[in-house]
Amino acid sequence: MIKVGIILGSTRPNRNGEGVAKWVYELSKSRDDADFELIDLKDFDLPLLDETAPPSMGQYTKSHTKKWAETIASFDGYVFVTPEYNHSTSGALKNAIDFLYKEWNNKSAGFVGYGGSGAVRAVEHLRLIMAELQIADVRAQVSLSLVTDFENYHVFKPAPSHRKNIHQMLDQVIAWANVLKLLRTEEGIDRSL
Ligand SMILES: Cc1cc2nc3c(=O)[nH]c(=O)nc-3n(C[C@H](O)[C@H](O)[C@H](O)COP(=O)(O)O)c2cc1C
């Protein structure tokens, strides 16, 4: 069974991202074409990148890097739940992405953005980053507005139409994850690990 990690990309106290990521996770539970897990960056408590060698060399020395690498390697695809900070994604998510390399390769990804303008600029930046990591990012994306999907910019009340968008995005993430798994696998051995 394909495994999809839903990555909660904000870490600040009282973050709106927690409600959004939990909502995505709850919706994903109605599906039987993949297993889903919620990955909260806060639980990993990653410092600013502190490895000596570039991540593409895979010479991880710190226990927090190894734990993060093991988690990310165990998934076939990802949903990045991202806020928009100054027209980009959060520093915390960018830093967490930068820690690793091969664990991301030949996987698929979709996006759920939230912000004043649906975090579309943050998602566009993430799409550029995906190319360098050899992640196939899908077209369908979910854009949630602080104005119309939150009460008082904080209480999450998503418009019902977003449910369909979530499933469209997950359909694409899972379809590509299945195909890319074949690319990574030779006689049952996952070459990305
Ligand atoms: C540092 C910072 C920068 C922000 N910049 C933008 C922005 O450029 N565009 C936007 O639409 N919203 C912006 N916002 C609003 C956030 O998208 C909104 O507060 C969102 O809820 C943040 O996610 P979080 O609560 O999960 O941290 C910014 C918020 C913060 C904290």
Side-chain angles (χ1 to χ4, degrees):
M1 184 71 96
I2 287 295
K3 276 185 73 186
V4 175
I6 299 163
I7 300 178
L8 167 45
S10 77
T11 54
R12 70 188 183 103
N14 214 20
R15 57 201 170 157
N16 281 334
E18 191 166 326
V20 177
K22 283 183 176 164
W23 170 75
V24 177
Y25 179 55
E26 287 305 317
L27 288 176
S28 74
K29 283 186 190 168
S30 68
R31 304 180 66 105
D32 59 9
D33 50 356
D35 289 330
F36 299 88
E37 262 179 51
L38 191 51
I39 305 168
D40 187 347
L41 289 188
K42 219 171 171 181
D43 295 337
F44 290 85
D45 207 15
L46 292 167
L48 286 175
L49 181 58
D50 61 351
E51 292 284 353
T52 312
S56 56
M57 296 175 77
Q59 295 168 6
Y60 306 143
T61 61
K62 305 283 164 86
S63 58
H64 51 256
T65 314
K66 289 177 187 170
K67 184 180 165 205
W68 177 234
E70 200 179 307
T71 300
I72 291 306
S74 71
F75 292 97
D76 304 294
Y78 311 94
V79 174
F80 290 97
V81 177
T82 181
E84 181 162 296
Y85 290 170
N86 297 316
H87 290 199
S88 189
T89 191
S90 68
L93 179 56
K94 178 64 164 62
N95 183 57
I97 289 172
D98 289 346
F99 256 95
L100 308 178
Y101 189 70
K102 66 176 178 165
E103 292 77 8
W104 298 115
N105 295 172
N106 296 318
K107 311 269 180 88
S108 63
F111 307 96
V112 178
Y114 57 97
S117 314
V120 290
R121 295 162 294 217
V123 170
E124 286 303 306
H125 279 181
L126 279 167
R127 289 185 186 279
L128 291 174
I129 295 162
M130 296 297 109
E132 179 59 13
L133 295 169
Q134 302 181 61
I135 292 178
D137 51 317
V138 304
R139 177 174 188 256
Q141 73 185 56
V142 182
S143 298
L144 301 163
S145 161
L146 281 188
V147 181
T148 54
D149 294 306
F150 292 81
E151 232 173 55
N152 297 324
Y153 308 102
H154 186 58
V155 181
F156 186 43
K157 296 204 170 165
S161 59
H162 291 306
R163 272 187 224 151
K164 191 175 158 214
N165 300 336
I166 288 283
H167 285 295
Q168 276 174 346
M169 179 271 295
L170 291 176
D171 287 346
Q172 295 181 1
V173 169
I174 292 163
W176 281 9
N178 272 297
V179 174
L180 289 164
K181 189 168 188 171
L182 295 178
L183 184 69
R184 296 197 313 275
T185 306
E186 197 177 69
E187 293 174 341
I189 297 163
D190 189 338
R191 281 181 285 165
S192 74
L193 298 178

